[in-house]
Amino acid sequence: MRTAWRVGTPSPIDDGPLEMVREPVPEPGPGQVLLQTLACGVCRTDLHVTEGDLPVHRRRVVPGHEVVGRILAFGPDTETEHRVGDTVGVPWLAHTCGLCRYCRAGHENLCPASKYTGWDADGGYADRVLASADYVLALPTGYSSEQLAPLLCAGIIGYRALRRADLPVGGTLGIYGFGGSAHLTAQVALAQGARLHVMTRDGAARDLALALGAASAQGADDAPPEPLDSAIVFAPVGDLVPVALAALRPGGTAALAGIHMTDTPPLNYQRHLFHEKTLRSVESNTRADALEFLDFAGAHRLTVQTTRYRLDQAPRALSDLAHGRFPGAAVLIP
């Protein structure tokens, strides 16, 4: 038997939408691996799935898509370089068709048939989890399972957002919101020679940003002390979009890193978009993004700020995330 958390009726996290169940351990099918969960990161997307901000893709799904696990078994006809006993990562991207124009062009993140861990397929809020062998990831050494878990979405998505932001070499980057993904992305940018300014409402997050090397940290709506070459909006708050655009210098780019965001207010063309400013969204990631980021994490020791919760504390972890009660990332440890 396995222990797992399932989303009953999606609703605000403090209303108790998660239900703990005891159920048979799933059997791996063709092309699948069965893993013992060692750690699972708590991502804001899990909150969006649980609260119903995202439409239901799988009824009573098990959330969680930052899974570090030990391989227990393979399903039939599974071809993989991994072996029983290996520790691997299970990320957000769980399946793509491999045949559409986007997959063929190297943009599998835009595949219309894509599937996602913890949304379309049961995820890591459980002590055993199934995954597709083609989508599990080898992990860098030098990190604990607790530290590795946030790298598998927060790190990877942040890395793609940084690329989408077109930060020039030695440029000035503004980050809006400073949670699990932002605090990792900030370190990548700093390692690449960026000058960093952080805008966030949370005082502890501002302290963390300064400790990691940010040149400044101020409130979410405050203007940075200098114009920005690039900006990334991690907070799922549409009101920050015009704020970030107004902070850009001519020719700058703003990337929106979330899968869900509240409505964006009207933009003023002269103030927010003129002077050839660019606004971009970010959708999921490719496996190539994941490999590039994890290679970077292996070559550059990242500080991963975590708060640990037991698996039976998953609702509390999501509630604490919703209310901003911890800096960095939360991680469930079965």
Side-chain angles (χ1 to χ4, degrees), residues 228-244:
L228 305 173
D229 294 302
S230 302
I232 305 175
V233 180
F234 285 100
V237 181
D239 286 344
L240 291 177
V241 175
V243 174

Side-chain angles (χ1 to χ4, degrees), residues 172-173 195-199 215-218 222-228 247:
T172 302
L173 174 67
R195 181 171 172 84
L196 176 66
H197 300 290
V198 170
M199 280 62 70
S216 75
Q218 44 270 315
D222 294 338
E226 61 182 316
L228 305 173

Side-chain angles (χ1 to χ4, degrees), residues 135-162:
Y135 290 81
V136 299
L137 301 168
L139 298 171
T141 59
Y143 297 87
S144 67
S145 295
E146 181 177 336
Q147 294 167 329
L148 285 167
L151 303 185
L152 292 166
C153 178
I156 294 169
I157 293 295
Y159 181 78
R160 184 171 183 87
L162 182 60

Side-chain angles (χ1 to χ4, degrees), residues 208-322:
L208 176 60
L210 293 172
L212 292 174
S216 75
Q218 44 270 315
D221 296 316
D222 294 338
E226 61 182 316
L228 305 173
D229 294 302
S230 302
I232 305 175
V233 180
F234 285 100
V237 181
D239 286 344
L240 291 177
V241 175
V243 174
L245 286 168
L248 293 175
R249 69 174 75 249
T253 299
L256 312 181
I259 190 174
H260 171 80
M261 179 175 279
T262 59
D263 288 345
T264 302
L267 299 177
N268 178 277
Y269 181 70
Q270 295 296 136
R271 187 163 58 251
H272 301 133
L273 294 171
F274 194 53
H275 301 303
E276 298 194 348
K277 296 179 182 180
T278 300
L279 179 62
R280 289 176 163 177
S281 64
V282 178
E283 181 173 352
S284 184
N285 62 273
T286 66
R287 281 171 285 183
D289 294 328
L291 293 175
E292 286 181 20
F293 171 70
L294 292 174
D295 283 347
F296 184 95
H300 299 78
R301 176 67 189 186
L302 300 177
T303 297
V304 188
Q305 177 80 24
T306 61
T307 299
R308 176 187 291 203
Y309 296 82
R310 300 187 309 271
L311 179 60
D312 63 8
Q313 296 175 308
R316 176 183 159 194
L318 279 176
S319 177
D320 288 351
L321 173 64

